[in-house]
């Protein structure tokens, strides 16, 4: 996510910014903090949350920690349904994302996708919650705001590299408004792949992101 917080606030009309002095984020990994946009009582706000929603109970059997679930696909699951209301939906800003291409020798090459070479801002459709759990043994029990984002079937562009799935990407203000505020029956249609031509491969191999901009 290489755009500055001012750019995020401007494009979505966020009136509150709780991220502090947001540093450039050329790489975001699971369980790290990143900015998300959510609807608050007094308007849209930008806040920092940890990437990884609470895991379903069956996934935690025999485990002492819950590192979290980064991507959510099955919205019919009772585990996820509790967080599908507008009060738990969010937008996750990004400028590019990566999937790995498996090579003939079984090595993996990162392939970066964006909406164009300039890597304009777009958003994953996300959900969030406040949760108390042990995410790392050395950290102990913590209460944190957590997020994950939706996935769907891959379009042709992403599917050539990662056939199983792609993130749910929202590119238009009407989609952002619907995801943040509408009843789920009116928002669930947004869980669909982008058209093939809406994404392109902008890099392969070692990441070379541009610097942050306002």
């Amino acid at each position: 996510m290489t755009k500055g917080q001012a750019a995020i606030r401007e494009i979505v009309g966020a009136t509150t910014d709780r991220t502090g002095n947001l540093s450039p984020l050329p790489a975001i990994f699971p369980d790290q903090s990143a900015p998300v946009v959510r609807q608050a009582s007094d308007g849209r706000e930008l806040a920092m949350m940890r990437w990884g929603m609470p895991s379903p109970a069956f996934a935690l059997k025999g485990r002492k920690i819950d590192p979290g679930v980064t991507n959510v696909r099955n919205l019919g699951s009772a585990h996820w349904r509790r967080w599908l209301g507008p009060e738990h939906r969010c937008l996750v800003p990004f400028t590019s994302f990566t999937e790995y291409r498996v090579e003939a020798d079984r090595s993996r090459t990162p392939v970066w996708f964006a909406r164009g070479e300039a890597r304009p801002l777009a958003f994953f459709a996300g959900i969030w919650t406040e949760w108390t759990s042990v995410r790392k043994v050395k950290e102990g029990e913590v209460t944190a705001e957590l997020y994950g984002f939706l996935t769907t079937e891959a379009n042709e562009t992403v599917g050539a590299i990662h056939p199983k799935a792609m993130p749910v990407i929202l590119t238009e203000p009407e989609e952002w408004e619907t995801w943040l505020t509408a009843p789920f029956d009116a928002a669930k249609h947004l869980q669909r792949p982008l058209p093939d031509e809406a994404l392109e491969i902008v890099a392969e191999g070692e990441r070379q992101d541009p610097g942050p901009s306002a």
Side-chain angles (χ1 to χ4, degrees):
M1 218 291 297
T2 57
K3 301 294 184 184
Q5 62 202 100
I8 304 171
R9 292 197 307 265
E10 180 178 0
I11 196 172
V12 297
T15 56
T16 304
D17 187 344
R18 303 187 187 281
T19 62
N21 186 15
L22 184 61
S23 300
L25 295 168
I28 302 170
F29 294 97
D31 203 39
Q32 290 184 347
S33 293
V36 305
V37 178
R38 63 183 170 188
Q39 193 73 23
S41 58
D42 57 349
R44 293 179 184 172
E45 68 176 24
L46 190 63
M48 298 296 288
M49 298 187 191
R50 289 173 74 160
W51 183 14
M53 288 288 285
S55 298
F58 73 84
L60 296 176
K61 289 182 179 179
R63 303 185 66 175
K64 295 181 179 180
I65 64 168
D66 179 9
V69 177
T70 56
N71 304 328
V72 178
R73 181 73 175 268
N74 179 16
L75 301 186
S77 163
H79 180 71
W80 302 120
R81 284 201 303 267
R82 73 185 95 174
W83 297 309
L84 296 182
E87 67 277 10
H88 284 287
R89 292 190 224 137
C90 62
L91 300 172
V92 183
F94 77 97
T95 49
S96 60
F97 68 94
T98 189
E99 301 288 1
Y100 285 91
R101 181 176 61 227
V102 180
E103 308 294 357
D105 63 359
R106 308 308 296 171
S107 64
R108 302 201 307 164
T109 301
V111 177
W112 290 85
F113 299 90
R115 294 188 60 214
E117 287 291 341
R119 304 191 187 195
L121 266 172
F123 297 87
F124 300 136
I127 57 176
W128 74 276
T129 191
E130 183 176 273
W131 197 256
T132 300
S133 62
V134 178
R135 298 179 70 86
K136 299 176 181 178
V137 172
K138 63 181 180 181
E139 187 179 47
E141 187 174 82
V142 296
T143 299
E145 292 185 335
L146 312 175
Y147 79 92
F149 54 79
L150 274 56
T151 61
T152 185
E153 60 268 21
N155 66 12
E156 185 175 328
T157 306
V158 177
I161 304 299
H162 189 259
K164 293 182 178 180
M166 68 175 290
V168 172
I169 298 171
L170 308 181
T171 62
E172 301 298 328
E174 295 82 5
E175 296 173 339
W176 308 335
E177 177 71 17
T178 296
W179 184 247
L180 289 178
T181 65
F184 185 65
D185 280 349
K188 63 184 180 182
H189 73 280
L190 294 172
Q191 190 185 22
R192 78 289 182 263
L194 278 188
D196 297 334
E197 68 277 5
L199 287 173
E200 61 183 83
I201 293 174
V202 294
E204 297 187 25
E206 185 177 352
R207 189 186 67 250
Q208 295 181 348
D209 285 332
S213 58

